[in-house]
Amino acid sequence: MINELQKMINESNNIVFFGGAGVSTASGIKDFRSKDGLYNIKYPYPPEEILSHTFFLNNPEEFYKFYKDKMNTLDKLPNECHKYLVELENRGKLKGIITQNIDSLHTKAGSTNVLELHGTIYKNKCMKCGKDYSAKDVFKSKNVPKCSCGGIIKPEVVLYEEPLNEDIIYKSINLISKADMLIVAGTSLKVYPANTYINYFNGKYLVVINNEKTIADNYASLVINEDINEVFKKLHSM
């Protein structure tokens, strides 16, 4: 299967990568929906509720207890997948990355055209005056991080009940629609509306790399149910 994937990559010159939480697990970041994922960890409130816009507004103390405990990925490093995608970009084959992750590991690895559908922990803004703050400011703060003006600082990550950025949606769909190869990796394709964007793909090769089945398996050119990091490690060595 790796040889087949390599052949498809060799034949393609407009590759787009669409990734989910499974891309970052090899970097030590928990995913959401697996048996060991964040949504199966016991908290006073369900994680889906904690990570909602309403909960953030009504209970910022509990929100930040969870957020600082589980979303701090500042010390995490890019893995084989992130590194290989940089190599593909440098070869002129990879045109863009669309990610559902908020850890910015693709950018940390050196990729330049990264569309973060759900935002990033690295951007934070005061809800009162709009002043920008770093991720370190937020994660090193005591209790709820506050701006110098007294306003609450909010991470620029897309919470439940919040819309995705329309410009990023447009750019993502545009990238996918022009691709000759789309690699979908580390995502269950269960999160709406992001899971609908792959429907705009009209290219030659649709490849799915994921530990579990996805809704795209039946019409994909190639499905690899293996560890993502191992797949890209093998590609790197070829």
Side-chain angles (χ1 to χ4, degrees):
M1 283 191 175
I2 301 298
N3 288 334
E4 191 175 350
L5 175 58
Q6 182 65 69
K7 180 175 179 290
M8 292 176 178
I9 292 172
N10 291 341
E11 292 177 6
S12 304
N13 292 299
N14 196 335
I15 302 171
V16 172
F17 182 87
F18 183 97
V23 171
S24 295
T25 53
S27 295
I29 300 173
K30 282 187 177 293
D31 64 8
F32 288 86
R33 289 175 171 78
S34 70
K35 64 178 182 179
D36 298 318
L38 290 179
Y39 287 172
N40 290 310
I41 297 174
K42 301 302 179 186
Y43 275 83
Y45 305 89
E48 298 99 319
E49 182 181 346
I50 296 173
L51 296 173
S52 69
H53 181 79
T54 299
F55 192 91
F56 174 81
L57 295 179
N58 294 337
N59 205 338
E61 295 85 1
E62 287 297 325
F63 172 88
Y64 268 112
K65 282 180 184 177
F66 180 88
Y67 184 81
K68 290 179 182 179
D69 185 31
K70 298 301 177 186
M71 301 296 170
N72 186 352
T73 58
L74 296 181
D75 63 338
K76 304 304 182 185
L77 298 174
N79 58 50
E80 290 293 333
C81 176
H82 301 104
K83 294 173 185 176
Y84 182 77
L85 293 177
V86 175
E87 183 181 304
L88 270 191
E89 181 184 325
N90 291 339
R91 287 163 56 191
K93 285 182 170 289
L94 184 75
K95 303 306 180 184
I97 295 169
I98 302 161
T99 178
Q100 299 175 79
N101 299 333
I102 60 174
D103 52 49
S104 289
L105 285 180
H106 287 293
T107 301
K108 191 179 284 188
S111 293
T112 59
N113 189 19
V114 182
L115 299 173
E116 296 172 311
L117 288 173
H118 297 148
T120 172
I121 64 167
Y122 286 88
K123 294 181 181 179
N124 304 271
K125 193 178 290 287
C126 172
M127 297 178 71
K128 188 175 180 181
C129 72
K131 183 178 178 180
D132 293 323
Y133 283 87
S134 71
K136 286 184 179 179
D137 292 329
V138 169
F139 287 113
K140 289 186 176 182
S141 66
K142 289 186 178 181
N143 303 317
V144 178
K146 296 284 184 71
C147 176
S148 55
C149 77
I152 293 177
I153 299 169
K154 181 183 181 297
E156 289 196 28
V157 299
V158 180
L159 302 177
Y160 287 105
E161 305 168 347
E162 294 179 345
L164 301 186
N165 181 290
E166 289 189 8
D167 184 52
I168 291 177
I169 292 173
Y170 172 79
K171 289 178 179 178
S172 298
I173 292 173
N174 189 49
L175 264 182
I176 291 172
S177 66
K178 293 179 179 178
D180 57 9
M181 180 176 185
L182 178 62
I183 302 174
V184 178
T187 172
S188 61
L189 291 176
K190 293 178 180 177
V191 178
Y192 180 86
N195 62 351
T196 65
Y197 300 158
I198 67 169
N199 295 334
Y200 291 91
F201 178 67
N202 294 302
K204 187 174 182 181
Y205 296 125
L206 171 62
V207 176
V208 176
I209 308 170
N210 198 51
N211 285 331
E212 301 173 359
K213 291 182 178 180
T214 76
I215 57 174
D217 289 8
N218 291 337
Y219 55 90
S221 309
L222 178 65
V223 177
I224 302 177
N225 295 130
E226 295 180 30
D227 180 81
I228 296 167
N229 200 53
E230 289 302 315
V231 170
F232 284 94
K233 187 183 291 186
K234 290 173 184 176
L235 282 173
H236 229 146
S237 64
M238 294 180 77

